[in-house]
């Protein structure tokens, strides 16, 4: 038995789980309920200003990338539980999607 | 007497056999909706990078009935993720103060406290 | 009260049966009987061919684990009065090969248990004149709960990952490794890591938590495994970021 390299997948998964737990619900509340109801407005000027700020970029990146990674790893394990095996196809789909999402997020934050 | 051990196959539907495993599957599937919402946030950041008009278009789509329904479903699953995550944290990280273990309820409580504070900060930042 | 209870028991005699099949028995209902008492009644008075393991009858030897109405339980710990409605279905523990009737083959578990080196691996060689290892009550408290395992295998039966991967080291073995890793007298964490921190070790676990739910001694193997994940991950990064910092 060899020591596994799983920690490189698992620590970001655990961090993503915590970030998702603490921040995602309030974000969905804002974009999914308060915005449609007109309680908040999220004007472009304010959002762009936040995204121009380096700290803002970091926060936005962490808020999207870490929970996305968490979801990718967890769905990979769940696919195994559901009988889809632990093969290359499952891993490529799950982590591949996460990397694409993370890359696009990073690109958007660089260009904003 | 010769031995002939019998091996029982595990069914693909193993998780449907007991309420405990169904609850586990629901808990794991919360990550699907967290992931889908992250994809939505990614689209939002792309629209933000594309300028004022693109961003306003994104906000309009977010307010559409279908998008609201999708987001409310995500909210339910995301909240369930938070509740289950906080409940499991004391098991993974038992903390001790000067040798005395901190009760699990306190660790969970602290997480809810941080959750409330962060939510409040984000709400205020969003302009509530 | 001359009530009866119906037991549906999975039988398998390799010399007679090609496959396991259920056999139904009717036993007297007694308020203070456990399922094990019912099995003993069958063995003594109805069908002497029924095979099952048991010993202490008080949930400490770990011998009588079986599936009772689909739940992994000790037969001496399951009261007939809690199963009054309907039939009681009794099967051998899930995720193990069936030897005969309710007796499972547990060789794989014994191998997994020895593979985690479940003994104190001393920091340095000591002679008798060095005296005994000293340990404070606080140091004992750190790992006491993980010493309580009775090797009953209910956790292996309840764990879906044990069902999906027969090489998974499993809850009890990993909890025992944790017991020694937390012991202040021990210095063997590094030696255990090749098994514990392998893909078939802690990393097969997805924190279903069923193991801790069914454990009759409240060992909480799920907690042991999650704590080991954090510790193994930190060790993994430390070994790569601080090459000189191996313990």
């Amino acid at each position: 038995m060899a020591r596994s390299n799983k920690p490189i997948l698992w620590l970001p998964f655990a961090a993503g789980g915590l970030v998702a737990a603490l921040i995602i619900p309030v974000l969905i509340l804002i974009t999914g309920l308060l915005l449609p109801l007109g309680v908040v407005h999220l004007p472009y000027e304010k959002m762009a200003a936040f995204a121009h700020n380096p700290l803002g970029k970091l926060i936005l990146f962490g808020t999207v990338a870490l929970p996305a990674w968490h979801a990718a790893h967890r769905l990979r394990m769940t696919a195994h539980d559901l009988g889809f095996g632990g093969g290359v196809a499952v891993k490529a789909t799950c982590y591949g999607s996460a990397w694409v999402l993370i890359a696009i997020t990073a690109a958007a934050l660089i260009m904003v | 007497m010769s031995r002939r051990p019998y091996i029982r196959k595990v069914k693909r539907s193993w998780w449907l056999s007991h309420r405990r495993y169904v609850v586990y599957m629901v808990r794991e599937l919360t990550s699907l909706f967290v992931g889908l919402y992250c994809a939505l946030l990614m689209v939002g950041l792309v629209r933000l990078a594309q300028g004022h008009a693109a961003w306003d278009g994104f906000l309009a789509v977010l307010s559409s009935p279908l998008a609201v329904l999708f987001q409310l479903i995500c909210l339910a699953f995301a909240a369930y993720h938070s509740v289950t995550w906080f409940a499991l944290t004391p098991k993974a990280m038992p903390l001790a103060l000067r040798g005395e273990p901190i009760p699990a309820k306190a660790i969970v409580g602290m997480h809810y406290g941080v959750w409330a504070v962060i939510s409040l900060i984000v709400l205020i930042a969003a302009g509530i | 009260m001359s009530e009866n209870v119906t037991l549906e028991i999975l039988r398998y005699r390799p010399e007679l049966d090609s496959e396991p099949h259920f056999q139904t028995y009717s036993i007297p209902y007694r308020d203070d009987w456990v399922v094990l008492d019912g099995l003993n009644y069958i063995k003594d008075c109805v069908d002497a061919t029924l095979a099952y393991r048991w010993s202490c009858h008080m949930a400490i030897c770990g011998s009588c684990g079986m599936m009772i109405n689909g739940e992994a339980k000790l037969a001496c710990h399951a009261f007939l009065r809690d199963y009054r409605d309907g039939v009681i279905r009794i099967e051998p523990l899930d995720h193990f090969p069936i030897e005969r009737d309710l007796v499972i083959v547990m060789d794989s578990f014994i191998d997994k248990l020895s593979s985690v080196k479940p003994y104190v691996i001393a920091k340095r060689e000591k002679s008798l004149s060095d005296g005994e290892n000293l340990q404070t009550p606080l140091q004992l408290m750190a790992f006491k709960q993980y010493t309580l395992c009775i090797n009953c295998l209910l956790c292996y039966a309840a764990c879906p990952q044990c069902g999906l991967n027969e090489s998974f080291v499993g809850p009890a073995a990993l909890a025992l490794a944790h017991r020694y890793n937390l012991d202040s007298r021990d210095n063997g964490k590094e030696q255990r890591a090749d098994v514990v921190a392998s893909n078939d070790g802690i990393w097969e676990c997805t924190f279903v938590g069923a193991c801790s739910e069914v454990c009759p001694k409240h060992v909480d193997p799920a907690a042991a495994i999650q704590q080991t994940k954090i510790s193994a991950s930190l060790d993994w990064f430390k070994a790569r970021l601080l090459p000189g910092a191996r313990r």
Side-chain angles (χ1 to χ4, degrees), chain A residues 8-33:
Chain A
I8 207 170
L9 303 174
W10 191 83
L11 273 180
F13 152 82
L18 186 63
V19 169
L22 292 174
I23 297 183
I24 296 288
V26 71
L27 287 180
I28 308 180
L29 187 70
I30 290 170
T31 63
L33 206 60

Side-chain angles (χ1 to χ4, degrees), chain B residues 8 25 41 53 63 75 113 118:
Chain B
R8 292 163 287 177
M25 270 304 164
L41 288 179
S63 309
L75 181 57
I118 289 182

Side-chain angles (χ1 to χ4, degrees), chain C residues 2-51:
Chain C
S2 57
E3 251 180 271
N4 274 26
V5 179
T6 307
L7 302 185
E8 236 177 43
I9 305 181
L10 196 69
R11 303 296 310 271
Y12 175 66
R13 287 151 298 179
E15 70 278 7
L16 295 174
D17 304 322
S18 59
E19 274 191 359
H21 58 94
F22 281 102
Q23 189 166 344
T24 307
Y25 300 90
S26 185
I27 60 163
Y29 169 79
R30 298 271 182 276
D31 220 27
D32 56 340
W33 270 16
V34 286
V35 169
L36 178 59
D37 295 320
L39 295 176
N40 285 339
Y41 175 84
I42 293 173
K43 185 102 180 161
D44 291 341
C45 310
V46 181
D47 183 350
T49 67
L50 182 64

Side-chain angles (χ1 to χ4, degrees), chain A residues 14 17 21-22 25-28 31-32 34 36 42 44-47 67 70-71 74 78 81-83 104-105 108, chain B residues 12 14-15 24-25 27-28 31 37-38 42 45-46 48-49 51-52 55 59 68 71 75 81-82 85 115 119 123 125:
Chain A
L22 292 174
V26 71
L27 287 180
I28 308 180
T31 63
L34 300 181
L42 303 180
Y44 173 78
E45 296 76 20
K46 215 168 129 192
M47 290 302 302
H70 172 86
R74 210 162 180 184
T78 305
D81 290 347
L82 290 170
I104 296 176
T105 302
Chain B
R12 231 178 202 224
W14 62 265
W15 55 279
Y24 161 72
M25 270 304 164
R27 190 195 82 189
E28 295 305 283
S31 63
Y37 185 73
C38 285
M42 174 201 79
L45 288 177
V46 169
L48 190 67
H52 203 316
W55 176 251
L59 294 184
V68 170
Q71 288 178 88
L75 181 57
H81 164 75
S82 301
W85 191 263
W115 191 24
S119 300
L123 284 170

